[in-house]
Amino acid sequence: WTAVATYSLLDFFVGWLWTRHYRHLLFGVPAILMVMPLAYCAVRMPFYTTAAKASHYRRAASEALVEKEYESAELYFRKLAQLGDVHHHVIMRSAMLDEEQGNLADAYRQMLQIAPPEQPGEPQAHLWIAQRISMGLIEADNPDAIGLVETHLRHATARDLDDPALGLWLAQVYLQTRRPSEGLQILDKIDADQLTWPLRVTMADLYATVGRRGRANAMAEDALEHFRQAQDANEELLPSDFLAWATAAEIAVDTNLALDVLWQAVGSHPDDQPLRDTLIRVG
């Protein structure tokens, strides 16, 4: 019966093809071509969900940012907001785009959506806010600006307590707000070996500030030896390295060395204003 059914089907198909009026069928080809897109949309649209649309807009926004087509990227981000797409990375990139275009107020407003001061949010957004406040770019007229920096740093470290650089920054804020005991608690938990040498010198300076001279001097001597070896090896030192070297010399109460390092730094980086300011201060 399978062979009979197959033969009958093939016989019908061949007979059907043999008896068609192909000239008449050709007149229907344009209509078929016009209907095909509509048929595709009718089948595709029910499966084209809001999430799929958002995914396409996110990809388009990323491509626009890579190509530096900022107007298109901004349009895509607005469309994502209309679709209710509240992914943190979408808002972050939109805020960064506003910052690049000079709209710092709009960037700050967007960052607050995912990093409110009332509760922990996106760690990178909290860090962005803390950095801009510290640089005086936002909240410049707020008398509690340092308090906001502390709040956002605490929220950022709530999910990343093992980052020694963040811990060092938070300890620095505590010392600036005259809470040495809280600052020391954080400093004592930081593994200095995980810090860059400029940050190690910053840590030593904080220890010196709170009276831990022994710990501060030991870290300063280690830093001085490191920078001496780097200089002997003809390694290129950045302005931040020179500043750390000079600070370590100051901690070790060797002002002459600090001046020599700063003179050398200004000679290597004559256009660096922080180096020149530090040289004047130490002099």
Side-chain angles (χ1 to χ4, degrees):
W1 64 268
T2 304
V4 173
T6 303
Y7 174 79
S8 300
L9 183 62
L10 290 175
D11 183 62
F12 167 78
F13 187 64
V14 172
W16 183 84
L17 288 177
W18 191 261
T19 57
R20 296 307 93 195
H21 297 285
Y22 291 103
R23 184 179 298 177
H24 295 169
L25 289 176
L26 289 176
F27 295 142
V29 171
I32 294 175
L33 294 177
M34 293 178 62
V35 170
M36 284 179 64
L38 298 177
Y40 172 80
C41 292
V43 175
R44 182 70 178 85
M45 289 304 293
F47 300 99
Y48 192 52
T49 62
T50 301
K53 294 178 185 177
S55 176
H56 292 162
Y57 276 110
R58 284 197 299 272
R59 184 166 61 250
S62 299
E63 293 174 355
L65 288 175
V66 171
E67 298 296 332
K68 296 185 178 181
E69 297 176 358
Y70 297 130
E71 292 184 1
S72 298
E74 189 174 4
L75 176 63
Y76 297 143
F77 283 129
R78 286 205 304 268
K79 185 61 180 178
L80 283 168
Q82 293 174 3
L83 292 172
D85 188 84
V86 292
H87 288 76
H88 286 183
H89 71 275
V90 171
I91 298 178
M92 280 277 296
R93 300 193 73 170
S94 177
M96 298 294 287
L97 175 60
D98 281 335
E99 183 182 24
E100 288 184 19
Q101 294 181 315
N103 301 325
L104 195 59
D106 291 339
Y108 183 32
R109 175 182 53 77
Q110 292 191 75
M111 288 295 186
L112 286 176
Q113 295 178 21
I114 56 176
E118 298 82 13
Q119 61 185 12
E122 180 65 27
Q124 292 300 321
H126 283 298
L127 283 179
W128 184 93
I129 294 173
Q131 289 169 348
R132 272 53 180 186
I133 294 177
S134 299
M135 295 164 64
L137 299 177
I138 55 177
E139 300 289 354
D141 299 329
N142 190 341
D144 192 35
I146 188 65
L148 283 176
V149 172
E150 177 188 344
T151 298
H152 286 287
L153 280 178
R154 289 175 64 88
H155 290 334
T157 56
R159 297 183 182 179
D160 197 6
L161 292 173
D162 296 331
D163 189 337
L166 291 184
L168 185 64
W169 190 3
L170 187 57
Q172 195 171 16
V173 171
Y174 282 143
L175 296 182
Q176 289 177 352
T177 54
R178 298 181 181 179
R179 287 176 289 173
S181 60
E182 296 180 54
L184 276 173
Q185 287 180 0
I186 296 179
L187 286 177
D188 291 338
K189 295 178 182 179
I190 295 175
D191 183 3
D193 292 337
Q194 298 182 7
L195 296 171
T196 62
W197 282 102
L199 288 180
R200 293 188 196 188
V201 173
T202 300
M203 188 175 178
D205 194 26
L206 293 179
Y207 271 123
T209 301
V210 297
R212 293 272 190 92
R213 294 299 312 182
R215 175 66 169 156
N217 289 338
M219 296 185 68
E221 290 295 338
D222 290 341
L224 290 174
E225 182 61 25
H226 165 77
F227 288 121
R228 287 193 199 100
Q229 293 180 0
Q231 186 182 46
D232 293 340
N234 294 323
E235 294 181 13
E236 182 180 358
L237 297 179
L238 301 175
S240 58
D241 295 323
F242 279 113
L243 286 173
W245 191 358
T247 302
E250 285 191 276
I251 295 172
V253 198
D254 192 344
T255 308
N256 289 330
L257 175 59
L259 281 171
D260 291 341
V261 168
L262 289 170
W263 276 116
Q264 179 183 346
V266 171
S268 301
H269 304 278
D271 297 328
D272 192 280
Q273 192 60 39
L275 283 176
R276 302 174 71 87
D277 293 341
T278 305
L279 175 60
I280 292 172
R281 178 184 62 78
V282 175

